[in-house]
Amino acid sequence: MSCLAGGLRGQLAARPDQLTAVRPARRPHDVGNHVVTHGGDGEEPDLYAMDPLVFEALVADLFRAMGMQAVTTRSSNDGGVDVDALDPTPIRGGKIVVQVKRYRNTVPPTAVRDLYGTVQHRGANKGVLVTTSGFGPGSHTFANGKPLELLAGGELVDLLHRHGLRGRPGDTAAPAPAAPDPRPEPEQYNVLGMSWTGRVALDVCALVCSGTRVLGDDYFVFFNNERTPDGSVRAQDATPPDKAALRVAFDDLPPAADRLALVAAVDPVANPDADPSGFTDARIRLLDPSMAELGTLEVSDGRSGETALVLGSFRRRASGDWDFVLGGRGCTGGLEQLLPDYGIAVE
């Protein structure tokens, strides 16, 4: 009974003796041959070739395999929700709304913002956006600190396989993101160690730019992208007294790059109510690979009400040398407000 009414969204008649035939809304030949392929024999089913409703059902199957209650919603009046799920785990569980995007191109930040609105409207504990493609830094930046989870294609396939389900991106899927450059890690580099007084927690990010425009999403190094494709810039664990650190091989930066901008933003998870006025006595220590200090660069203090600020930028001169130019610009809208100035869409 619970399987029929809950899992299959069936309805029970009060007078079964008066039932009449109902014309089916969808026949098997209208759906195609992928109705049960994610649980049957044969080759891995192509996620892109699946009937859309079957793909949504597969995602619901995944949530159930992970120990949750999950049902697909009706095709209309669902408020943009494809799967309703309930995590019975005490304390961290609750109601989850799931949206499914069978895309070949990167999911735009607007979809993540729409999901957040749905989570608030439905009073859900969490929103999950599942896609066959991926997400750009604008999406990750918006989702950071919010009850949202972004599940990209590679992670989706991995979860399917781990829980006894099957699926592949398909031969016609969009090209995978560029793999890291096969060259070995640069041997000549500097460590930029950043320190400040006060207990405010900040995310420090780097943008490899031509002028004021980042070379591409992969050249924005932040909490969800810890290195550039060529390895010229990457995050590194900080060593006291530093609170954040980046490794930069200036000689290995792309020829088109003439600027490395450093920005910092309040960490909405670790310190959501932080006041950046506590970002004082800030400085950048320039270190060699042995962590010997080569010099110190002063950085402007934070100001009350600001949630993101430009620390400064290294700029390539005609001679090939890199000079540091102090920043100081701040904004009250966090990275969402700051990143568009560098050509990164956070809609």
Side-chain angles (χ1 to χ4, degrees):
M1 190 78 69
S2 61
C3 176
L4 173 64
L8 300 178
R9 302 185 73 91
Q11 295 182 346
L12 303 179
R15 297 293 303 275
D17 58 311
Q18 297 181 5
L19 293 179
T20 59
V22 177
R23 180 184 178 186
R26 178 174 285 238
R27 297 178 182 275
H29 66 267
D30 296 325
V31 176
N33 62 357
H34 295 289
V35 177
V36 295
T37 51
H38 63 266
D41 296 328
E43 67 176 61
E44 293 276 330
D46 183 346
L47 299 179
Y48 288 102
M50 274 186 179
D51 177 86
L53 296 183
V54 175
F55 181 55
E56 292 174 9
L58 175 60
V59 173
D61 285 346
L62 174 61
F63 276 76
R64 285 192 287 269
M66 295 170 66
M68 305 180 203
Q69 301 170 24
V71 294
T72 56
T73 62
R74 298 180 185 275
S75 58
S76 61
N77 300 321
D78 60 9
V81 177
D82 299 310
V83 176
D84 275 320
L86 179 65
D87 184 351
T89 306
I91 300 177
R92 66 178 176 83
K95 181 179 179 181
I96 302 172
V97 293
V98 184
Q99 288 184 353
V100 177
K101 303 291 185 184
R102 196 174 53 164
Y103 285 4
R104 286 180 165 83
N105 298 319
T106 301
V107 176
T110 49
V112 184
R113 187 180 292 274
D114 290 344
L115 174 60
Y116 184 52
T118 301
V119 169
Q120 294 179 308
H121 177 71
R122 298 280 292 268
N125 296 79
K126 179 190 287 188
V128 180
L129 186 53
V130 181
T131 184
T132 47
S133 57
F135 304 92
S139 294
H140 286 294
T141 298
F142 179 80
N144 188 38
K146 299 180 178 67
L148 300 176
E149 190 161 336
L150 308 182
L151 187 65
E155 298 167 297
L156 170 61
V157 171
D158 180 61
L159 280 175
L160 289 172
H161 291 176
R162 280 196 286 159
H163 289 87
L165 300 169
R166 297 185 301 143
R168 62 182 175 86
D171 299 332
T172 59
D181 193 299
R183 293 177 299 177
E185 290 286 334
E187 296 182 2
Q188 297 299 320
Y189 59 85
N190 291 108
V191 174
L192 307 180
M194 282 149 275
S195 63
W196 57 89
T197 59
R199 302 181 63 180
V200 59
L202 295 175
D203 285 324
V204 177
C205 316
L207 300 102
V208 181
C209 301
S210 175
T212 60
R213 313 298 284 183
V214 70
L215 296 185
D217 287 353
D218 290 340
Y219 285 89
F220 172 38
V221 177
F222 68 121
F223 47 84
N224 257 327
N225 179 41
E226 295 187 342
R227 71 192 300 276
T228 58
D230 56 10
S232 58
V233 182
R234 68 179 180 88
Q236 176 168 307
D237 291 336
T239 301
D242 302 324
K243 297 182 178 180
L246 293 167
R247 177 184 293 189
V248 182
F250 286 99
D251 291 341
D252 289 85
L253 287 169
D258 59 11
R259 185 173 303 188
L260 176 69
L262 304 176
V263 301
V266 168
D267 185 333
V269 176
N271 211 180
D273 300 317
D275 183 353
S277 62
F279 181 75
T280 57
D281 297 326
R283 65 195 64 227
I284 299 174
R285 293 197 305 148
L286 187 64
L287 309 167
D288 68 14
S290 69
M291 301 300 286
E293 186 171 322
L294 304 176
T296 302
L297 306 169
E298 301 295 330
V299 178
S300 298
D301 294 342
R303 292 178 288 269
S304 181
E306 294 178 348
T307 53
L309 63 154
V310 178
L311 302 178
S313 60
F314 289 88
R315 302 185 185 184
R316 194 200 306 257
R317 301 306 182 192
S319 63
D321 294 332
W322 292 82
D323 294 336
F324 182 73
V325 178
L326 183 66
R329 174 179 172 248
C331 59
T332 59
L335 287 177
E336 294 176 50
Q337 181 181 348
L338 189 63
L339 290 180
D341 290 347
Y342 294 92
I344 295 179
V346 186
E347 302 176 8

